[in-house]
Each structure stands twice: as C-alpha cells, then as structure tokens.
Amino acid sequence: MKAFIHRYRLTWFWGYFSLLTYELLLKNPWVILGEKIASDPPLDTSSVPASALLHTSSFSVLGFLFCYAFNHQTAAKKVRYSLWLVAYCGVTEILQFCVPNRWPSGEDILFNVVGLIAGTFIFYQPWRLPAESQDEIQLGVTP
C-alpha cells in the first residue's frame, strides 16, 4: 500500500489541487457534498472563525501533499514551487470577484498561507521521526 501511495504522489497532489481550485471557485462550495447540504449548510462560512478553519485546513492538506510530491526536488525548485503556491493563494481569492455570491478576502489569503505552512510543518515533524526516517524523507526514498 505504501508503494502505491508513494508511486502516485504527484497524482494525489494535482488531484487535490484541482479539486480545491474547483471548490474555491464555485458559487456555493457546499454543493460538492450534495444538494441537501448545499441548501442548508452546516457552517456559516461568512464568519471569520469558520472561514479560518476551512481555509487553513484545506490548505494544510495542500501543503502536506506538496511536500510529499516534490520532496525529491532540489532546494531551489522547492522554493520556486512554494512561491507559486503562495501566489495561488492570492489568485484564487482574486478570481472570486468573478463568482456570484463569493467575495475575495485578505484574511482568507492569510489563512491559506498559514495552512500551507502548517501542512509543511506537519509533513516534516522533526521531533517525532527517528534519524533514519528523516534521511529517507529528505532523500525521497521509500522504505
């Protein structure tokens, strides 16, 4: 199972990236979970705490998958790709100008970036891994 997950790490990243982009640009993002939930959402996303929770958690998954997919790249490429992801955080918010019932928010951009950082931090979690596992992660080697 580990080999399957590792072999398709780029597919996991780009699949989630696509799904997240689609969801961020929908008129009513709750429609992904069904019409019943879309008509009566379980969470008022116009409140700051709910928006923070949704954006931070969604982008932390993206940050984690990014680290897993591109861990084998050089440091310079990782930095360049990371800057593209930070730009993506802003672009998706700006594109919400074009979507009815959606509006861009500077707070959401901040929550997106915090989520990316949290996902990266969760992926590397140096305080929990034995030394040999850290080497495997840094080299992109599967056990």
PDB file of all heavy atoms in Angstrom, residues 3-21:
ATOM      1  N   ALA A   3       3.819   1.636  -1.237  1.00  0.00           N
ATOM      2  CA  ALA A   3       4.406   1.815  -2.570  1.00  0.00           C
ATOM      3  C   ALA A   3       3.388   2.433  -3.524  1.00  0.00           C
ATOM      4  O   ALA A   3       3.721   3.299  -4.326  1.00  0.00           O
ATOM      5  CB  ALA A   3       4.910   0.486  -3.112  1.00  0.00           C
ATOM      6  N   PHE A   4       2.129   2.017  -3.426  1.00  0.00           N
ATOM      7  CA  PHE A   4       1.074   2.571  -4.272  1.00  0.00           C
ATOM      8  C   PHE A   4       0.900   4.061  -3.996  1.00  0.00           C
ATOM      9  O   PHE A   4       0.845   4.871  -4.919  1.00  0.00           O
ATOM     10  CB  PHE A   4      -0.250   1.834  -4.025  1.00  0.00           C
ATOM     11  CG  PHE A   4      -1.424   2.466  -4.706  1.00  0.00           C
ATOM     12  CD1 PHE A   4      -1.631   2.271  -6.063  1.00  0.00           C
ATOM     13  CD2 PHE A   4      -2.307   3.263  -3.998  1.00  0.00           C
ATOM     14  CE1 PHE A   4      -2.707   2.848  -6.698  1.00  0.00           C
ATOM     15  CE2 PHE A   4      -3.385   3.852  -4.628  1.00  0.00           C
ATOM     16  CZ  PHE A   4      -3.588   3.641  -5.987  1.00  0.00           C
ATOM     17  N   ILE A   5       0.820   4.414  -2.724  1.00  0.00           N
ATOM     18  CA  ILE A   5       0.645   5.820  -2.352  1.00  0.00           C
ATOM     19  C   ILE A   5       1.841   6.642  -2.810  1.00  0.00           C
ATOM     20  O   ILE A   5       1.684   7.721  -3.368  1.00  0.00           O
ATOM     21  CB  ILE A   5       0.423   5.946  -0.830  1.00  0.00           C
ATOM     22  CG1 ILE A   5      -0.928   5.341  -0.461  1.00  0.00           C
ATOM     23  CG2 ILE A   5       0.508   7.390  -0.376  1.00  0.00           C
ATOM     24  CD1 ILE A   5      -1.176   5.223   1.022  1.00  0.00           C
ATOM     25  N   HIS A   6       3.038   6.127  -2.601  1.00  0.00           N
ATOM     26  CA  HIS A   6       4.236   6.874  -2.986  1.00  0.00           C
ATOM     27  C   HIS A   6       4.361   7.003  -4.505  1.00  0.00           C
ATOM     28  O   HIS A   6       4.742   8.058  -5.009  1.00  0.00           O
ATOM     29  CB  HIS A   6       5.486   6.211  -2.400  1.00  0.00           C
ATOM     30  CG  HIS A   6       6.726   6.991  -2.654  1.00  0.00           C
ATOM     31  ND1 HIS A   6       6.997   8.169  -2.002  1.00  0.00           N
ATOM     32  CD2 HIS A   6       7.749   6.788  -3.517  1.00  0.00           C
ATOM     33  CE1 HIS A   6       8.156   8.650  -2.444  1.00  0.00           C
ATOM     34  NE2 HIS A   6       8.628   7.826  -3.360  1.00  0.00           N
ATOM     35  N   ARG A   7       4.019   5.970  -5.230  1.00  0.00           N
ATOM     36  CA  ARG A   7       4.165   5.975  -6.684  1.00  0.00           C
ATOM     37  C   ARG A   7       3.276   7.054  -7.309  1.00  0.00           C
ATOM     38  O   ARG A   7       3.644   7.668  -8.302  1.00  0.00           O
ATOM     39  CB  ARG A   7       3.794   4.611  -7.255  1.00  0.00           C
ATOM     40  CG  ARG A   7       3.992   4.521  -8.757  1.00  0.00           C
ATOM     41  CD  ARG A   7       3.676   3.143  -9.321  1.00  0.00           C
ATOM     42  NE  ARG A   7       4.341   2.096  -8.584  1.00  0.00           N
ATOM     43  CZ  ARG A   7       3.718   1.018  -8.056  1.00  0.00           C
ATOM     44  NH1 ARG A   7       2.412   0.877  -8.191  1.00  0.00           N
ATOM     45  NH2 ARG A   7       4.381   0.108  -7.397  1.00  0.00           N
ATOM     46  N   TYR A   8       2.121   7.291  -6.728  1.00  0.00           N
ATOM     47  CA  TYR A   8       1.170   8.238  -7.291  1.00  0.00           C
ATOM     48  C   TYR A   8       1.119   9.555  -6.525  1.00  0.00           C
ATOM     49  O   TYR A   8       0.112  10.239  -6.519  1.00  0.00           O
ATOM     50  CB  TYR A   8      -0.219   7.595  -7.370  1.00  0.00           C
ATOM     51  CG  TYR A   8      -0.239   6.444  -8.333  1.00  0.00           C
ATOM     52  CD1 TYR A   8      -0.240   5.138  -7.872  1.00  0.00           C
ATOM     53  CD2 TYR A   8      -0.206   6.669  -9.701  1.00  0.00           C
ATOM     54  CE1 TYR A   8      -0.222   4.076  -8.764  1.00  0.00           C
ATOM     55  CE2 TYR A   8      -0.195   5.617 -10.600  1.00  0.00           C
ATOM     56  CZ  TYR A   8      -0.204   4.320 -10.116  1.00  0.00           C
ATOM     57  OH  TYR A   8      -0.185   3.284 -11.003  1.00  0.00           O
ATOM     58  N   ARG A   9       2.241   9.924  -5.910  1.00  0.00           N
ATOM     59  CA  ARG A   9       2.259  11.136  -5.083  1.00  0.00           C
ATOM     60  C   ARG A   9       1.953  12.397  -5.886  1.00  0.00           C
ATOM     61  O   ARG A   9       1.292  13.302  -5.390  1.00  0.00           O
ATOM     62  CB  ARG A   9       3.569  11.257  -4.332  1.00  0.00           C
ATOM     63  CG  ARG A   9       4.792  11.417  -5.186  1.00  0.00           C
ATOM     64  CD  ARG A   9       6.067  11.319  -4.351  1.00  0.00           C
ATOM     65  NE  ARG A   9       7.245  11.516  -5.163  1.00  0.00           N
ATOM     66  CZ  ARG A   9       7.840  10.582  -5.880  1.00  0.00           C
ATOM     67  NH1 ARG A   9       7.343   9.351  -5.871  1.00  0.00           N
ATOM     68  NH2 ARG A   9       8.906  10.847  -6.583  1.00  0.00           N
ATOM     69  N   LEU A  10       2.402  12.481  -7.128  1.00  0.00           N
ATOM     70  CA  LEU A  10       2.077  13.647  -7.952  1.00  0.00           C
ATOM     71  C   LEU A  10       0.592  13.666  -8.319  1.00  0.00           C
ATOM     72  O   LEU A  10      -0.026  14.726  -8.377  1.00  0.00           O
ATOM     73  CB  LEU A  10       2.931  13.667  -9.220  1.00  0.00           C
ATOM     74  CG  LEU A  10       4.402  13.990  -9.007  1.00  0.00           C
ATOM     75  CD1 LEU A  10       5.182  13.799 -10.295  1.00  0.00           C
ATOM     76  CD2 LEU A  10       4.582  15.393  -8.469  1.00  0.00           C
ATOM     77  N   THR A  11       0.026  12.491  -8.547  1.00  0.00           N
ATOM     78  CA  THR A  11      -1.403  12.402  -8.841  1.00  0.00           C
ATOM     79  C   THR A  11      -2.221  12.859  -7.650  1.00  0.00           C
ATOM     80  O   THR A  11      -3.217  13.581  -7.806  1.00  0.00           O
ATOM     81  CB  THR A  11      -1.783  10.960  -9.219  1.00  0.00           C
ATOM     82  OG1 THR A  11      -0.941  10.535 -10.282  1.00  0.00           O
ATOM     83  CG2 THR A  11      -3.235  10.860  -9.621  1.00  0.00           C
ATOM     84  N   TRP A  12      -1.812  12.472  -6.438  1.00  0.00           N
ATOM     85  CA  TRP A  12      -2.516  12.908  -5.225  1.00  0.00           C
ATOM     86  C   TRP A  12      -2.482  14.427  -5.114  1.00  0.00           C
ATOM     87  O   TRP A  12      -3.498  15.070  -4.837  1.00  0.00           O
ATOM     88  CB  TRP A  12      -1.904  12.292  -3.974  1.00  0.00           C
ATOM     89  CG  TRP A  12      -2.052  10.814  -3.866  1.00  0.00           C
ATOM     90  CD1 TRP A  12      -1.061   9.887  -4.006  1.00  0.00           C
ATOM     91  CD2 TRP A  12      -3.245  10.076  -3.616  1.00  0.00           C
ATOM     92  NE1 TRP A  12      -1.572   8.625  -3.856  1.00  0.00           N
ATOM     93  CE2 TRP A  12      -2.908   8.706  -3.609  1.00  0.00           C
ATOM     94  CE3 TRP A  12      -4.562  10.438  -3.401  1.00  0.00           C
ATOM     95  CZ2 TRP A  12      -3.841   7.706  -3.399  1.00  0.00           C
ATOM     96  CZ3 TRP A  12      -5.497   9.439  -3.181  1.00  0.00           C
ATOM     97  CH2 TRP A  12      -5.137   8.088  -3.187  1.00  0.00           C
ATOM     98  N   PHE A  13      -1.298  14.988  -5.346  1.00  0.00           N
ATOM     99  CA  PHE A  13      -1.161  16.443  -5.227  1.00  0.00           C
ATOM    100  C   PHE A  13      -2.011  17.158  -6.271  1.00  0.00           C
ATOM    101  O   PHE A  13      -2.807  18.043  -5.933  1.00  0.00           O
ATOM    102  CB  PHE A  13       0.310  16.869  -5.368  1.00  0.00           C
ATOM    103  CG  PHE A  13       0.466  18.365  -5.477  1.00  0.00           C
ATOM    104  CD1 PHE A  13       0.340  19.165  -4.353  1.00  0.00           C
ATOM    105  CD2 PHE A  13       0.719  18.967  -6.699  1.00  0.00           C
ATOM    106  CE1 PHE A  13       0.456  20.548  -4.452  1.00  0.00           C
ATOM    107  CE2 PHE A  13       0.839  20.339  -6.806  1.00  0.00           C
ATOM    108  CZ  PHE A  13       0.708  21.125  -5.677  1.00  0.00           C
ATOM    109  N   TRP A  14      -1.834  16.819  -7.553  1.00  0.00           N
ATOM    110  CA  TRP A  14      -2.554  17.539  -8.607  1.00  0.00           C
ATOM    111  C   TRP A  14      -4.054  17.285  -8.560  1.00  0.00           C
ATOM    112  O   TRP A  14      -4.854  18.167  -8.897  1.00  0.00           O
ATOM    113  CB  TRP A  14      -1.980  17.203  -9.980  1.00  0.00           C
ATOM    114  CG  TRP A  14      -0.657  17.846 -10.181  1.00  0.00           C
ATOM    115  CD1 TRP A  14       0.547  17.214 -10.281  1.00  0.00           C
ATOM    116  CD2 TRP A  14      -0.363  19.249 -10.259  1.00  0.00           C
ATOM    117  NE1 TRP A  14       1.556  18.138 -10.417  1.00  0.00           N
ATOM    118  CE2 TRP A  14       1.033  19.395 -10.408  1.00  0.00           C
ATOM    119  CE3 TRP A  14      -1.147  20.391 -10.212  1.00  0.00           C
ATOM    120  CZ2 TRP A  14       1.646  20.635 -10.524  1.00  0.00           C
ATOM    121  CZ3 TRP A  14      -0.525  21.632 -10.321  1.00  0.00           C
ATOM    122  CH2 TRP A  14       0.844  21.739 -10.472  1.00  0.00           C
ATOM    123  N   GLY A  15      -4.461  16.103  -8.127  1.00  0.00           N
ATOM    124  CA  GLY A  15      -5.887  15.831  -7.965  1.00  0.00           C
ATOM    125  C   GLY A  15      -6.507  16.709  -6.890  1.00  0.00           C
ATOM    126  O   GLY A  15      -7.563  17.314  -7.084  1.00  0.00           O
ATOM    127  N   TYR A  16      -5.841  16.790  -5.745  1.00  0.00           N
ATOM    128  CA  TYR A  16      -6.352  17.633  -4.665  1.00  0.00           C
ATOM    129  C   TYR A  16      -6.288  19.108  -5.056  1.00  0.00           C
ATOM    130  O   TYR A  16      -7.206  19.879  -4.766  1.00  0.00           O
ATOM    131  CB  TYR A  16      -5.567  17.397  -3.365  1.00  0.00           C
ATOM    132  CG  TYR A  16      -6.147  18.170  -2.212  1.00  0.00           C
ATOM    133  CD1 TYR A  16      -7.311  17.742  -1.590  1.00  0.00           C
ATOM    134  CD2 TYR A  16      -5.554  19.346  -1.764  1.00  0.00           C
ATOM    135  CE1 TYR A  16      -7.866  18.460  -0.552  1.00  0.00           C
ATOM    136  CE2 TYR A  16      -6.097  20.068  -0.733  1.00  0.00           C
ATOM    137  CZ  TYR A  16      -7.254  19.626  -0.123  1.00  0.00           C
ATOM    138  OH  TYR A  16      -7.808  20.345   0.895  1.00  0.00           O
ATOM    139  N   PHE A  17      -5.213  19.510  -5.720  1.00  0.00           N
ATOM    140  CA  PHE A  17      -5.066  20.886  -6.198  1.00  0.00           C
ATOM    141  C   PHE A  17      -6.243  21.251  -7.102  1.00  0.00           C
ATOM    142  O   PHE A  17      -6.846  22.321  -6.963  1.00  0.00           O
ATOM    143  CB  PHE A  17      -3.735  21.018  -6.947  1.00  0.00           C
ATOM    144  CG  PHE A  17      -3.454  22.391  -7.483  1.00  0.00           C
ATOM    145  CD1 PHE A  17      -2.818  23.324  -6.691  1.00  0.00           C
ATOM    146  CD2 PHE A  17      -3.802  22.735  -8.778  1.00  0.00           C
ATOM    147  CE1 PHE A  17      -2.533  24.604  -7.180  1.00  0.00           C
ATOM    148  CE2 PHE A  17      -3.524  23.999  -9.278  1.00  0.00           C
ATOM    149  CZ  PHE A  17      -2.890  24.931  -8.477  1.00  0.00           C
ATOM    150  N   SER A  18      -6.596  20.369  -8.014  1.00  0.00           N
ATOM    151  CA  SER A  18      -7.712  20.614  -8.938  1.00  0.00           C
ATOM    152  C   SER A  18      -9.033  20.680  -8.202  1.00  0.00           C
ATOM    153  O   SER A  18      -9.865  21.564  -8.462  1.00  0.00           O
ATOM    154  CB  SER A  18      -7.775  19.510  -9.998  1.00  0.00           C
ATOM    155  OG  SER A  18      -6.570  19.455 -10.710  1.00  0.00           O
ATOM    156  N   LEU A  19      -9.258  19.747  -7.297  1.00  0.00           N
ATOM    157  CA  LEU A  19     -10.499  19.738  -6.523  1.00  0.00           C
ATOM    158  C   LEU A  19     -10.624  21.001  -5.677  1.00  0.00           C
ATOM    159  O   LEU A  19     -11.698  21.608  -5.599  1.00  0.00           O
ATOM    160  CB  LEU A  19     -10.563  18.494  -5.630  1.00  0.00           C
ATOM    161  CG  LEU A  19     -11.808  18.354  -4.761  1.00  0.00           C
ATOM    162  CD1 LEU A  19     -13.043  18.160  -5.636  1.00  0.00           C
ATOM    163  CD2 LEU A  19     -11.659  17.198  -3.798  1.00  0.00           C
ATOM    164  N   LEU A  20      -9.545  21.423  -5.049  1.00  0.00           N
ATOM    165  CA  LEU A  20      -9.560  22.623  -4.219  1.00  0.00           C
ATOM    166  C   LEU A  20      -9.844  23.859  -5.068  1.00  0.00           C
ATOM    167  O   LEU A  20     -10.642  24.722  -4.676  1.00  0.00           O
ATOM    168  CB  LEU A  20      -8.232  22.773  -3.478  1.00  0.00           C
ATOM    169  CG  LEU A  20      -8.116  23.950  -2.512  1.00  0.00           C
ATOM    170  CD1 LEU A  20      -9.140  23.824  -1.388  1.00  0.00           C
ATOM    171  CD2 LEU A  20      -6.710  24.014  -1.934  1.00  0.00           C
ATOM    172  N   THR A  21      -9.228  23.939  -6.235  1.00  0.00           N
ATOM    173  CA  THR A  21      -9.474  25.077  -7.124  1.00  0.00           C
ATOM    174  C   THR A  21     -10.933  25.115  -7.542  1.00  0.00           C
ATOM    175  O   THR A  21     -11.574  26.170  -7.522  1.00  0.00           O
ATOM    176  CB  THR A  21      -8.568  24.998  -8.368  1.00  0.00           C
ATOM    177  OG1 THR A  21      -7.205  24.945  -7.935  1.00  0.00           O
ATOM    178  CG2 THR A  21      -8.764  26.189  -9.272  1.00  0.00           C
TER     179      THR A  21
END
